[in-house]
Amino acid sequence: MALRGTAATSAPAATGNTVTAVSFTMEFPTTPMAGAALAIVRRSEAEAIVNHSARSFFFAELLAIHEGLHHDSGYDRELLFAATVMHDLGTGALAPGRARFEVEGADLAAEVLAEHRVPQADIDRVWEAIALHTSPGIAERRGLLAYLTAEGSKMDIGFNAPVTASYQAAIHAAYPRLRMVRTLTDAIVDHAARSETAAPIYSMGQQFALERRESGATQLERLAAGLIPWGE
């Protein structure tokens, strides 16, 4: 997948009773750590999931702008990139299949950050954001990074879609969907089948596997068919 982008543009962010311009750009961070994060994702995941992860980053940034969170002390663009882009590493070829995919993805991401001497406290934040990204009601209470990571991934299946309106066409042109919902669901179900501990009771992996066996399609796939304004 070629790395593509557009020039920086601006979007309004509310701060109190005023509106200020905050820059939004479709360029990734260019640090060695960010490059390593992108490389491991591209090496181990299906292209549809790579593109989903890229869109999740951009959508999370748009949400941060929309909610005026860019100026929050907990906001860190490079860590947000790491968490959103690597949030589905557990569905890829490098995951050993011994624990749920969210945890294995978090472990793999932590290894990338440690290799680039990221402070342990920041590694822990990214680990938690990835591990909790499928846990609504919990992720948003574990700090800004966990909140934006979870919400960015949800926005790519149609939640909060109006927030993306000004940029979603350009984002999708650069990172096409490629039947992402089906591809990601397949990967999660495949991971769940690798061992009993890969899909513990009530985990997303176990739930998806049960729904596939019972009806041929998961609730997420049926939801996406009617919710995502730009298709699967």
Side-chain angles (χ1 to χ4, degrees):
M1 181 190 70
L3 189 62
R4 292 170 282 185
T6 66
T9 54
S10 295
T15 55
N17 293 322
T18 63
V19 175
T20 58
V22 177
S23 178
F24 171 75
T25 176
M26 279 180 59
E27 298 295 336
F28 292 154
T30 58
T31 62
M33 184 274 280
L38 182 61
I40 192 173
V41 166
R42 292 175 65 182
R43 186 171 73 247
S44 63
E45 295 178 4
E47 185 178 4
I49 301 175
V50 176
N51 288 3
H52 159 65
S53 299
R55 293 191 304 268
S56 296
F57 169 63
F58 293 131
F59 290 161
E61 281 215 297
L62 288 171
L63 181 64
I65 291 172
H66 178 74
E67 296 186 351
L69 300 174
H70 268 62
H71 304 297
D72 190 287
S73 61
Y75 181 81
D76 185 308
R77 188 172 190 261
E78 189 174 10
L79 293 184
L80 180 61
F81 178 79
T84 50
V85 166
M86 295 192 286
H87 80 271
D88 279 330
L89 265 181
T91 68
L94 297 178
R98 294 189 293 269
R100 54 191 295 171
F101 83 91
E102 302 96 329
V103 170
E104 293 194 338
D107 289 345
L108 289 166
E111 291 175 7
V112 172
L113 301 187
E115 289 171 1
H116 288 81
R117 301 183 183 276
V118 173
Q120 187 61 49
D122 290 337
I123 294 176
D124 291 344
R125 289 173 63 199
V126 171
W127 189 97
E128 186 173 54
I130 294 174
L132 293 177
H133 81 270
T134 63
S135 300
I138 299 175
E140 57 267 38
R141 301 186 65 172
R142 296 306 304 159
L144 182 57
L145 183 61
Y147 166 67
L148 290 175
T149 301
E151 292 302 309
S153 65
K154 285 167 58 180
M155 289 169 74
D156 196 43
I157 56 171
F159 292 88
N160 259 333
V163 174
T164 73
S166 296
Y167 301 100
Q168 69 89 6
I171 291 170
H172 278 106
Y175 302 95
R177 299 195 69 80
L178 306 177
R179 300 193 69 191
M180 179 277 295
V181 174
R182 174 57 64 89
T183 302
L184 180 58
T185 304
D186 286 346
I188 293 172
V189 171
D190 289 346
H191 183 275
R194 295 175 66 182
S195 71
E196 290 186 5
T197 53
I201 189 170
Y202 302 129
S203 66
M204 177 177 280
Q206 189 214 39
Q207 185 66 27
F208 278 11
L210 287 173
E211 290 173 353
R212 275 282 183 85
R213 285 199 297 270
E214 291 174 357
S215 64
T218 64
Q219 185 178 4
L220 177 64
E221 290 168 290
R222 292 192 294 270
L223 176 67
L227 177 65
I228 296 181
W230 42 72
E232 184 184 30

